[in-house]
Amino acid sequence: MKNIWALTSFEFKRTLTSKMLLVYTLIYAAMYVLTGVIFKVYGAGKTVVAGYGQSFPVEMLQAGITFTAVFIAIYVGEILIQERNNGTIKFVLLRSVSRFQYYISRIISIFLFSLLLTTIIILIGYVVGLLFFDWGDTFVFYSVTTSGWQGIRVTVLAGLAFAFAYFIFGLIALLVSQFIQRIATLAMLMGLSTLVGQYIVIYDQIKQYVIYEHLLFFHINLFEKSISYSVTSFGVLVGYLIVLGTAGYFLFKKQDLYG
């Protein structure tokens, strides 16, 4: 556990001070400001928001599916592809760190990055929402209408669901990254997959078992669907976690990292 914590802690601290995190923040801020401008100029019909500052962050979560997928893929590329290409993995494994410990640290790092990215998105949402719409008297998110702390609670729960879905997507990227040599290639493939995946979710028979359904709607279905539906969706994501984590580790275990 000590080695896993040390690797994860180092990676998280490096992420907090990285230039890429600043770039991601600026991109989201620009996108949110643009949405606010469009709302002010053209009205609610041209945007996905209702015009209440307190509900703006949760309403905007769904808007950046491809951006978020690409950012997750780039991060995965940095912590595996880049370290493999630079020979960093080889040196880490020579320091009494097992492959299992190393791979688990990558999984935990992806989870923390998903939470961090979601937190940044929500905070930007509150800042931009307040600038363009003030706080407002009402929180509106699909069928949920409330206000104040209850609205914040809904936003936090939706954010956690959103982060968990993208964490699972990150594990897919982690698995795929073992067959790819360039970060840009991984980012392009994972970004394109979200564009294609949005058409797969039109099939009701399979959509609950497809990751792209959860990237788009898991944080929404948590409030719009029955408890049994949400539990099943969570179970599907946990199933992804177990399968992807296990398959990814065994692939990593067999890789020649010393050549």
Side-chain angles (χ1 to χ4, degrees):
M1 283 298 295
K2 184 178 179 181
N3 287 338
I4 294 173
W5 169 250
L7 289 168
T8 304
S9 178
F10 174 79
E11 189 58 49
F12 188 69
K13 290 176 182 176
R14 185 170 66 173
T15 300
L16 287 176
T17 57
S18 70
K19 292 181 180 179
M20 288 306 297
L21 189 63
L22 177 60
V23 172
Y24 302 156
T25 301
L26 292 175
I27 289 174
Y28 280 119
M31 182 173 66
Y32 281 30
V33 168
L34 181 61
T35 300
V37 170
I38 292 173
F39 183 94
K40 289 295 185 180
V41 174
Y42 298 104
K46 298 295 183 179
T47 68
V48 298
V49 299
Y52 302 102
Q54 58 183 297
S55 53
F56 185 77
V58 72
E59 289 175 311
M60 287 296 292
L61 283 176
Q62 192 185 43
I65 173 174
T66 301
F67 277 129
T68 307
V70 168
F71 297 159
I72 293 283
I74 291 173
Y75 178 74
V76 170
E78 289 177 343
I79 65 173
L80 191 70
I81 296 176
Q82 183 171 284
E83 293 203 353
R84 184 181 63 217
N85 293 345
N86 292 343
T88 306
I89 295 179
K90 177 172 61 178
F91 291 112
V92 170
L93 294 179
L94 289 172
R95 297 180 178 178
S96 69
V97 175
S98 69
R99 292 197 183 210
F100 176 77
Q101 291 172 328
Y102 183 87
Y103 199 78
I104 290 295
S105 76
R106 302 302 93 174
I107 291 175
I108 297 173
S109 293
I110 294 170
F111 176 68
L112 293 177
F113 181 73
S114 300
L115 285 176
L116 176 62
L117 201 58
T118 303
T119 301
I120 290 172
I121 292 170
I122 290 175
L123 290 177
I124 291 173
Y126 276 121
V127 172
V128 175
L130 288 172
L131 287 174
F132 280 91
F133 311 110
D134 296 321
W135 183 253
D137 298 323
T138 309
F139 174 97
V140 178
F141 183 54
Y142 288 86
S143 66
V144 178
T145 301
T146 183
S147 62
W149 286 109
Q150 186 66 15
I152 294 174
R153 186 186 73 85
V154 171
T155 299
V156 170
L157 288 175
L160 289 172
F162 179 86
F164 188 65
Y166 275 92
F167 162 56
I168 302 302
F169 183 79
L171 295 188
I172 297 175
L174 187 63
L175 180 66
V176 173
S177 69
Q178 300 193 53
F179 303 96
I180 293 175
Q181 298 299 317
R182 297 179 59 194
I183 297 176
T185 303
L186 178 66
M188 181 185 69
L189 286 176
M190 300 309 293
L192 287 174
S193 76
T194 64
L195 299 177
V196 175
Q198 292 179 60
Y199 293 97
I200 299 176
V201 301
I202 64 175
Y203 300 103
D204 291 335
Q205 301 89 335
I206 63 170
K207 68 180 185 180
Q208 195 174 9
Y209 305 98
V210 178
I211 185 62
Y212 304 103
E213 164 74 6
H214 301 296
L215 296 183
L216 285 165
F217 300 113
F218 185 51
H219 67 289
I220 297 171
N221 291 339
L222 194 63
F223 306 97
E224 298 301 305
K225 300 287 187 179
S226 66
I227 294 177
S228 61
Y229 187 94
S230 296
V231 169
T232 300
S233 294
F234 181 73
V236 168
L237 291 174
V238 171
Y240 270 110
L241 169 60
I242 295 170
V243 171
L244 291 168
T246 303
Y249 167 66
F250 279 106
L251 280 172
F252 182 71
K253 186 178 179 181
K254 293 181 178 181
Q255 280 194 5
D256 179 14
L257 301 171
Y258 300 99

